[in-house]
Amino acid sequence: MSGQELVTLNVGGKVFTTRSSTLKQFPGSRLTRMLDGRDQEFKMVGGQIFVDRDGVLFSFILDFLRTHQLLLPTDFSDHLRLQREALFYELNPLVDLLNQEHMLQPRSALVEVHFLSRNTQAFFRVFGSCSKTIEMLTGRIAVFIEQPSAPASPQMTLLPLPPQRPSYHDLVFQCGSDSDTDNQTGIRYVSIKPDNRKLANGTNVLGLLIDTLLMEGFHLVGTRTVSSEDRTECYSFERIKKPDTLAMNKTLKSGTTLVPEQ
C-alpha cells in the first residue's frame, strides 16, 4: 500500500476514510503495524479495517494525526478516556500532550469592581484573580488631578497620578472633586485607554470601566451591595479562557518535543 492510497476504518461503528500516510506518521504506533499487517487484532471486514474501539474519541485522534495539534471542545471532559485510547494506539506524542491536561482545561478569570459614590467623589477598587488583568487595567487607567493655573494662563494644569496597587491582585483610584486640600478644590479626572476622555463623574467612569472589561471578554455575572452603610456596590465579572492549542514542534525529528502553539 503506497503512502497516497486511501484506507477506510470502521471504529466502533463509525467509518473514517483517510490516507494511509496519515495513519503511518509514527512508525512505532499500532496504526502503522495495522497497515503493515503486523497486528492481527485488526480485521478487514468488507473492505474496511474494523477496530473495536470508541469511534467518537477516534475522531479526535485522527484530527491530531492530520494537524499535529490537539484542540478539544471547551466542554470536553473525557481526557482520561482519550488518553486511554491514545495508549491503545501507542501514539506516544498524543499521550504526552494529554499528560499536560491542565493546559487543556478551560480556566476562568474573575474580576470584582467595588464602587462607592459619596457626595462629589467616587472611589473604585478593582480585585482580579489574575494579576495580568490588573496589570492590563493599570496600564490603561490614568488619573489626573487639576492644579491651579498661573494667573496669565487660561488653561488648567492636570497632574497625572498613577492608580494605587495595594497588591498584585487589586488597584485603587478615585475621581471627582476633592475639597479637603487647604480650601483649594482639586478635581480628579480618570481616563481609560483607548478612550481619551477625562471623566470626573463617577457613574461615567464606572460605565467606561465596565465597557473596557466587556471588550476584554469578561461577562457581568452579578451585582450586589457590599455595605448598606456606605452603599458600596460590587460588580462581578468572569471570563472563561479557552483551552490552549497544543502542537508538536515539527522542526525536530529526533525524539518528540511538544510545545503549546502561540
Side-chain angles (χ1 to χ4, degrees):
M1 181 179 291
S2 70
Q4 297 301 317
E5 289 182 347
L6 299 181
V7 58
T8 299
L9 280 69
N10 183 330
V11 184
K14 294 183 68 67
V15 177
F16 302 89
T17 300
T18 186
R19 296 184 184 277
S20 61
S21 58
T22 300
L23 298 176
K24 297 176 66 174
Q25 293 179 70
F26 303 102
S29 72
R30 294 190 70 179
L31 293 172
T32 297
R33 298 201 303 271
M34 171 188 71
L35 294 184
D36 290 342
R38 294 182 287 118
D39 196 317
Q40 300 302 315
E41 183 173 342
F42 304 98
K43 304 297 183 181
M44 182 71 71
V45 180
Q48 301 176 352
I49 300 176
F50 179 73
V51 184
D52 192 16
R53 304 294 296 187
D54 191 306
V56 174
L57 294 178
F58 186 78
S59 65
F60 298 113
I61 291 175
L62 183 57
D63 183 67
F64 165 76
L65 293 172
R66 288 169 171 164
T67 65
H68 284 188
Q69 297 180 355
L70 179 63
L71 182 59
L72 301 175
T74 56
D75 58 350
F76 186 80
S77 60
D78 283 339
H79 293 88
L80 292 179
R81 293 182 61 225
L82 182 57
Q83 187 177 51
R84 184 181 63 189
E85 296 302 295
L87 286 169
F88 171 80
Y89 294 108
E90 299 178 14
L91 292 169
N92 294 329
L94 179 56
V95 173
D96 290 340
L97 286 181
L98 287 166
N99 282 334
Q100 305 175 43
E101 184 176 349
H102 66 281
M103 299 185 68
L104 302 174
Q105 298 292 343
R107 299 180 293 276
S108 61
L110 305 177
V111 169
E112 283 192 353
V113 176
H114 289 216
F115 171 66
L116 168 62
S117 180
R118 181 184 297 162
N119 298 326
T120 57
Q121 291 180 289
F123 302 86
F124 296 84
R125 188 159 194 163
V126 183
F127 300 87
S129 63
C130 178
S131 61
K132 290 184 179 180
T133 301
I134 299 300
E135 291 175 4
M136 178 273 295
L137 291 174
T138 302
R140 291 194 181 190
I141 296 175
V143 181
F144 303 88
I145 184 169
E146 182 179 358
Q147 296 292 303
S149 304
S153 175
Q155 297 180 347
M156 64 179 180
T157 301
L158 296 179
L159 178 66
L161 296 174
Q164 301 177 29
R165 289 285 302 274
S167 74
Y168 287 109
H169 293 278
D170 62 337
L171 66 91
V172 178
F173 61 95
Q174 68 184 78
C175 65
S177 61
D178 184 1
S179 58
D180 297 329
T181 56
D182 299 330
N183 297 324
Q184 291 183 345
T185 301
I187 301 179
R188 292 176 186 257
Y189 299 87
V190 173
S191 176
I192 305 179
K193 298 177 181 178
D195 195 302
N196 294 320
R197 293 175 297 170
K198 295 178 174 59
L199 306 174
N201 182 278
T203 302
N204 293 340
V205 174
L206 176 64
L208 184 56
L209 179 58
I210 290 176
D211 287 344
T212 300
L213 290 171
L214 294 178
M215 287 187 293
E216 287 295 320
F218 284 90
H219 301 278
L220 180 64
V221 295
T223 61
R224 70 180 192 275
T225 301
V226 178
S227 173
S228 58
E229 296 181 359
D230 57 17
R231 296 182 180 179
T232 300
E233 301 175 1
C234 174
Y235 297 80
S236 300
F237 298 83
E238 182 179 22
R239 179 178 64 188
I240 302 296
K241 182 180 178 181
K242 296 182 179 180
D244 297 323
T245 302
L246 299 183
M248 295 195 315
N249 187 343
K250 300 180 181 180
T251 61
L252 300 179
K253 295 185 178 180
S254 60
T256 303
T257 301
L258 303 169
V259 296
E261 183 184 55
Q262 301 296 324

